[in-house]
Amino acid sequence: MPGWVWVLLVIFLLAMLITGSVYAVRRALAALHAVNETGGRIADIFARLDQEPTTGDAEAPSFILPLEVSADRYADAHSAVIRHQEETRSRHATVWKRWKTFNDLGR
């Protein structure tokens, strides 16, 4: 191989090494910023967890309340679940009805 080919190969090698190094440094800095942002969010969450809860946020546990109160809470929660299921079924039926007639071009 002539000598000038080796010079071109060395120049190409150095260019690729420099380009790869620049790319790696840029990606490392971008990852560092993402990790820093995530760490800040986690620190905010831990700071909120360290705060004492206000009196309105804390509810009495169900085992110290009368049974009627727990039963009413359960009934309310269960009715909310049933209401959500009915809304989901209704949306599902509406979407399928719309899809069924989607391709009907004035028939």
Side-chain angles (χ1 to χ4, degrees):
M1 228 189 259
W4 61 271
V5 173
W6 287 107
V7 172
L8 286 178
L9 287 175
V10 169
I11 291 173
F12 180 74
L13 172 72
L14 291 176
M16 289 298 110
L17 284 175
I18 292 170
T19 304
S21 299
V22 168
Y23 178 78
V25 168
R26 288 182 65 198
R27 297 308 305 159
L29 289 175
L32 182 65
H33 290 298
V35 167
N36 189 18
E37 182 181 332
T38 304
R41 281 194 227 147
I42 291 172
D44 290 341
I45 291 171
F46 281 140
R48 281 187 281 156
L49 287 175
D50 286 340
Q51 295 175 355
E52 292 294 324
T54 60
T55 57
D57 292 344
E59 287 187 13
S62 63
F63 59 84
I64 64 170
L65 297 174
L67 187 57
E68 293 83 22
V69 174
S70 295
D72 290 341
R73 283 185 184 175
Y74 177 79
D76 293 341
H78 189 64
S79 66
V81 168
I82 291 173
R83 195 175 324 110
H84 175 71
Q85 289 173 347
E86 288 300 321
E87 290 171 359
T88 302
R89 285 187 188 106
S90 174
R91 284 193 309 267
H92 183 79
T94 304
V95 167
W96 274 97
K97 185 178 180 182
R98 187 174 59 232
W99 286 354
K100 182 179 178 182
T101 61
F102 181 74
N103 287 328
D104 295 342
L105 302 174
R107 288 187 214 173

